[in-house]
Amino acid sequence: MFNLKKNSWFFSVLSIFVLWLAGCTFNPSIEKDGAPKGDFDAAKVPDAVPRPHYGKTKSRPYKVLGVTYNPLKSATGYTAKGVASWYGTKFHGKKTALGETYNMYGMSAAHRTLPLPSYAKVTNLDNGKSVVVRVNDRGPFVKDRLIDLSYAAAKKLGYQKNGTARVKVEGIVPPQYQAKKTTKTAPAKNLLNDYAKNKRMYLQVAAFSKLESAQALKQRLHALTKLPVTVLYAPSAANPLHRVRIGPISDAEQLEQLRLRIANAKLGSPHVVLE
């Protein structure tokens, strides 16, 4: 017969074992998500820069918690309003659904159906603030949530303390977005006036001392445009150069789009040459 008094040591050992086991399976400091310690100025964190993605996108159907999701093939035309939340320390440094490392100080987001990767403009409907984020993760899988932003993005929108906010999410098509942005900031009207006066506009992409380098760039630029690409030899006693340029170009908007395309392809920082 089991003697409770004589075997009190057994319960002591059992209690210690249970407490140890519980400690191994649950740690509040690890499981609980939250904001990073200290403070930082989220206003200084630049928005994500929409860049064309030429590789494969992660858009196959997937299933979570018994629900099947069918991701979009493109972010073109996507717009929705709903509730945004954010995620921070619990996932910082871990892999996203796209395989990238999550950085709570960056400008990224998790969405259930936008293709990975893609970009979106998120606007806080309560204060009008907007950010551009790179969508590289899946979620949030919580009822009535539309998008999960990085901590920095949430702070930039001003809702990190509340936890959630009413937002509008708009899908971004990188070439169209950048063209629209540069058209606003670039002196397009001035370029047209200059063209009216000078009649010819060119984009000079780079200059090389070696002809072989210039010819190699010329071949790569042919894949980006149907406009003429030429290599001009500029003799100099000290440093002769082979200049690679595109044109002539008669349309200012076409020029800006081409300049952006070259920059996104990391083929140089072209500048306008008028003749």
Side-chain angles (χ1 to χ4, degrees), residues 151-191:
Y151 177 77
K155 188 171 184 182
K156 202 169 181 179
L157 286 180
Y159 75 87
Q160 82 284 1
K161 292 184 179 179
N162 295 334
T164 59
R166 297 185 308 112
V167 299
K168 180 180 180 181
V169 179
E170 300 169 89
I172 288 176
V173 181
Q176 295 178 11
Y177 174 83
Q178 293 290 8
K180 184 178 180 181
K181 186 176 180 181
T182 53
T183 299
K184 289 182 179 179
T185 57
K189 291 183 179 180
N190 292 339
L191 286 173

Side-chain angles (χ1 to χ4, degrees), residues 163-226:
T164 59
R166 297 185 308 112
V167 299
K168 180 180 180 181
V169 179
E170 300 169 89
I172 288 176
V173 181
Q176 295 178 11
Y177 174 83
Q178 293 290 8
K180 184 178 180 181
K181 186 176 180 181
T182 53
T183 299
K184 289 182 179 179
T185 57
K189 291 183 179 180
N190 292 339
L191 286 173
L192 286 175
N193 291 334
D194 289 337
Y195 168 70
K197 296 176 182 178
N198 295 276
K199 301 303 181 183
R200 288 177 179 269
M201 290 191 299
Y202 296 87
L203 271 184
Q204 182 165 309
V205 182
F208 301 92
S209 58
K210 293 183 178 181
L211 176 61
E212 294 81 3
S213 300
Q215 294 287 5
L217 177 60
K218 177 182 177 179
Q219 293 302 318
R220 297 187 68 181
L221 290 173
H222 275 308
L224 296 180
T225 178
K226 295 181 179 179

Side-chain angles (χ1 to χ4, degrees), residues 188 191-196 198-203 227-228 246-256 258 272-274:
L191 286 173
L192 286 175
N193 291 334
D194 289 337
Y195 168 70
N198 295 276
K199 301 303 181 183
R200 288 177 179 269
M201 290 191 299
Y202 296 87
L203 271 184
L227 292 171
I246 304 172
I249 306 170
S250 60
D251 183 88
E253 184 176 350
Q254 181 187 34
L255 183 145
E256 287 302 316
L258 181 57
V272 180
V273 174
L274 300 171

